[in-house]
Amino acid sequence: MSEVKNRNQFLIPLLVVMSLMFIWNLSRNINDVLIPHLKRACQLTDFQSSLVQSAFFGGYFLLALPVGQYIRRFGYRAGMITGLLMAAVGAFLFFPAAETRFYPLFLAALFIMAAGFTFLEVTATPYLSILGDPEKASSRLSLAAAVGSIGATIGPYVGAVFLLHATDTSEATVQQFSPGQLADYLNAEAQLVKIPYLSLGALFVVLGAMLFFIKMPDIQEEGEENIRLKTIFKYTHTVLGALGVFCYLGAEVGIVSFLIRYAKSLEINELGEQKAALFITLFMALVLVGRLAGAYFLQKVNPSKMLAACALGAMGLVALAMFSTGYLSILSLSVVGLFTSVMYPILFTLSIKNLGAYTKTGSSLIIMSIVGGAIVPPLMGLISDIHSIRFAFVLPVLCYAYILYYAQKGHIIK
């Protein structure tokens, strides 16, 4: 890889990529509010409602590697434009989904949106990592992730405003509805998704059109044309790092997916769904704070040591939430966001270190492991349906335990 000497020429590309990170993180984190909304509108179990995340993050798993091949052939800018237009198609599908209240169509729309975001993420993360000093890649990715975290923080609030109500309609009240009243109520709930998702679809189209006219330098890794996919598996630190990202995303998505459901189970007076969604906003706001701080501290602190400290902190807070009640319990889960904030940029940069010509393929494998967000939440939903929502949080504890292992031993290049 040739060293980038003139940083100024990459200012606009960096700003463009960071802006896209803001948009897709905002869109992705509306899902955390969409879960309880569709649970009500489509009358779903905890397991069924968690399939929102399975459809979304399953798109990353199925498409990350093919997208990496696409980007290698057509370049970074083509990948970004394709991703935006594909995400727009998915967002527009929320209109027929709302009209029919057909849950599989909602899931299909989310899958297509995720396919678009896969293009953006497979493109953006390695692009940022190579536009500058390789030793400062973790810091640069943390700063970009902080920009994305602003969108992630706003997303749940936007979702709560459009999809949730200041005062919940109790389950007892719903059960007293006549068949006609119930149908009207559920249809009205489903209609609420139209405004936010059609607006997002229009925004994606506009951004895709703008990007067509912006000059984006393409950076090629030396020997890139000779790579073979299977060769990436000889890099143990990359494979173990991909599993680390699986655990990181699975734990984080699982926590925020069931945070509203968990808050309601605590039976705190006057804590309805809309107010409970504020704890997701707090979670994401703390992710933002942590990433802003990480952009500075990762230039001075050993990344693997910071990753180990963050994993220990996250494990302790989830355990505290499981064994406490009231606001202490729900606040403990929210503060986990501070400790997860720098996990992804550290895991990513440790995993692709010294890959050279295999950088894009390695990053595709890592992003493919975002499927953790599709698998852990349904497992938590099953545990919740069978046992209790509180006991379901043992899964995030196990995920953070693995990340602790990777920070201590798994990241070492052999």
Side-chain angles (χ1 to χ4, degrees), residues 202-215:
L203 178 61
F204 296 148
V205 171
V206 171
L207 289 174
M210 290 176 59
L211 197 57
F212 185 80
F213 297 101
I214 297 176
K215 184 178 180 180

Side-chain angles (χ1 to χ4, degrees), residues 109-318:
L110 287 164
F111 181 87
I112 294 172
M113 281 187 71
F117 293 156
T118 304
F119 275 90
L120 298 180
E121 194 148 357
V122 171
T123 301
T125 312
Y127 199 50
L128 287 168
S129 69
I130 60 182
L131 283 177
D133 183 358
E135 295 300 319
K136 304 295 183 183
S138 287
S139 175
R140 193 163 53 250
L141 281 171
S142 187
L143 177 61
V147 174
S149 292
I150 298 175
T153 302
I154 296 173
Y157 178 77
V158 171
V161 169
F162 283 99
L163 304 178
L164 304 179
H165 306 286
T167 303
D168 297 341
T169 303
S170 68
E171 187 63 30
T173 301
V174 173
Q175 290 177 355
Q176 293 176 359
F177 286 160
S178 67
Q181 290 175 320
L182 179 62
D184 290 341
Y185 169 74
L186 297 177
N187 288 332
E189 289 293 305
Q191 297 296 312
L192 295 177
V193 304
K194 287 183 177 179
I195 293 177
Y197 281 95
L198 292 180
S199 299
L200 284 173
L203 178 61
F204 296 148
V205 171
V206 171
L207 289 174
M210 290 176 59
L211 197 57
F212 185 80
F213 297 101
I214 297 176
K215 184 178 180 180
M216 299 286 288
D218 194 27
I219 299 176
Q220 299 290 328
E221 284 77 34
E222 294 177 5
E224 188 176 24
E225 67 278 0
N226 298 320
I227 69 166
R228 288 195 178 128
L229 181 60
K230 65 180 181 180
T231 312
I232 198 66
F233 291 99
K234 73 180 182 181
Y235 296 97
T236 306
H237 71 290
T238 302
V239 176
L240 295 178
L243 183 55
V245 172
F246 176 99
C247 291
Y248 153 72
L249 248 296
E252 180 175 288
V253 173
I255 290 172
V256 295
S257 294
F258 289 105
L259 210 151
I260 292 176
R261 169 76 174 83
Y262 181 74
K264 291 182 67 177
S265 75
L266 297 174
E267 298 183 349
I268 301 173
N269 289 338
E270 298 181 359
L271 184 63
E273 287 186 347
Q274 194 174 78
K275 289 183 179 179
L278 294 176
F279 287 98
I280 301 179
T281 298
L282 175 60
F283 184 104
M284 294 302 171
L286 290 173
V287 171
L288 170 60
V289 171
R291 284 177 175 168
L292 288 173
Y296 172 77
F297 286 109
L298 282 172
Q299 299 183 62
K300 302 179 180 297
V301 180
N302 184 293
S304 61
K305 291 182 178 179
M306 180 172 284
L307 182 61
C310 289
L312 278 172
M315 287 173 64
L317 285 168
V318 177

Side-chain angles (χ1 to χ4, degrees), residues 84-102:
L84 285 166
L85 296 182
M86 189 172 291
V89 171
F92 290 141
L93 278 178
F94 270 80
F95 183 89
E99 287 291 304
T100 59
R101 203 163 52 83
F102 185 50

